[in-house]
């Protein structure tokens, strides 16, 4: 039975969305094609109707996840950036990796992925950095803030005790507030 182009695109989008959430929760490489397809109610064999390979799916997951980041959207003003940073560095974000930023959740896997995946990630990271650099009028500060945010979230997720997690997040928010206050 042939499906319409619309049905095929809807299935592809469901697969991307589901794969992004699964990858951010448990790692992309840890979930096989059969598991990715089962999550949307299809068999593993149907996967290749949508993507030539799992690496191609990973490239698309990275594109989708990073392109949807509210922190990379223009226009970005200082107040909005500060609100985004507060939300990013929150216990809610620490405890909800599947609904949050893909960078801390998938960064290590992206670093080991084939070149197309890393190029896609670089494109969106540069887009994010440029949005922040335009707002802050300082490209180096934008990279430093981005790195601080991702690192703080990774470290907070590594810790077992919520009060330790909160301590890391609070210290990072205070550090960022100071850096933002000192910048032009």
């Amino acid at each position: 039975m042939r499906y319409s182009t619309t049905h095929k695109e809807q299935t592809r989008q469901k697969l991307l969305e589901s794969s992004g959430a699964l990858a951010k929760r448990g790692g992309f490489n840890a979930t096989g094609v059969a598991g990715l397809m089962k999550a949307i109610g299809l068999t593993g064999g149907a996967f290749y109707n949508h993507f030539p390979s799992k690496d191609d799916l990973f490239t698309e997951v990275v594109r989708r996840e990073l392109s949807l980041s509210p922190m990379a959207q223009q226009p970005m003003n200082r107040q909005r950036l500060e609100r985004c940073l507060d939300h990013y560095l929150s216990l809610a974000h620490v405890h909800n990796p599947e609904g949050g930023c893909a960078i801390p959740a998938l960064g290590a896997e992206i670093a080991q992925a084939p070149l197309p995946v890393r190029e896609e990630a670089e494109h969106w990271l540069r887009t994010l950095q440029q949005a922040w650099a335009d707002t802050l009028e300082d490209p180096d500060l934008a990279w430093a803030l981005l790195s601080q945010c991702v690192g703080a979230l990774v470290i907070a997720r590594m810790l077992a005790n919520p009060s330790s997690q909160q301590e890391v997040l609070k210290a990072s928010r205070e550090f960022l507030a100071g850096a933002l206050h000192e910048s032009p």
Side-chain angles (χ1 to χ4, degrees), residues 11 31 47 50 68 86 95 137 182:
T11 302
T31 307
F47 174 84
H50 303 284
L68 295 176
D86 282 342
H95 295 267
E137 300 176 1
E182 291 174 15

Side-chain angles (χ1 to χ4, degrees), residues 106-178:
L106 299 176
E109 285 186 90
I110 292 169
Q112 297 174 357
L115 187 60
V117 177
R118 294 192 332 267
E119 288 173 337
E120 191 64 36
E122 181 175 353
H123 167 76
W124 290 106
L125 285 169
R126 287 196 162 281
T127 300
L128 175 61
Q129 182 269 345
Q130 187 61 56
W132 290 17
D134 291 347
T135 300
L136 300 169
E137 300 176 1
D138 186 339
D140 292 338
L141 179 59
W143 278 124
L145 294 181
L146 176 60
S147 300
Q148 175 66 35
C149 287
V150 172
L153 200 64
V154 169
I155 289 172
R157 285 180 178 166
M158 291 170 58
L159 303 174
N161 186 322
S163 64
S164 297
Q165 293 171 333
Q166 188 60 37
E167 188 178 339
V168 168
L169 297 173
K170 180 180 179 282
S172 294
R173 283 191 306 270
E174 288 174 1
F175 175 80
L176 293 173

Side-chain angles (χ1 to χ4, degrees), residues 67-105:
S67 70
L68 295 176
S69 170
M71 296 177 82
Q73 305 302 314
Q74 292 284 7
M76 174 71 75
N77 62 37
R78 219 171 173 78
Q79 275 186 323
R80 183 165 177 251
L81 177 59
E82 289 174 14
R83 282 193 312 272
C84 285
L85 293 175
D86 282 342
H87 175 75
Y88 194 93
L89 295 170
S90 69
L91 279 178
H93 193 197
V94 169
H95 295 267
N96 183 23
E98 63 270 10
C101 179
I103 299 168

Side-chain angles (χ1 to χ4, degrees), residues 43-65:
T43 64
F47 174 84
Y48 297 99
N49 292 330
H50 303 284
F51 296 95
S53 70
K54 193 174 174 193
D55 286 341
D56 289 316
L57 171 61
F58 195 28
T59 301
E60 290 299 315
V61 164
V62 168
R63 175 180 295 124
R64 181 183 184 282
E65 291 294 329

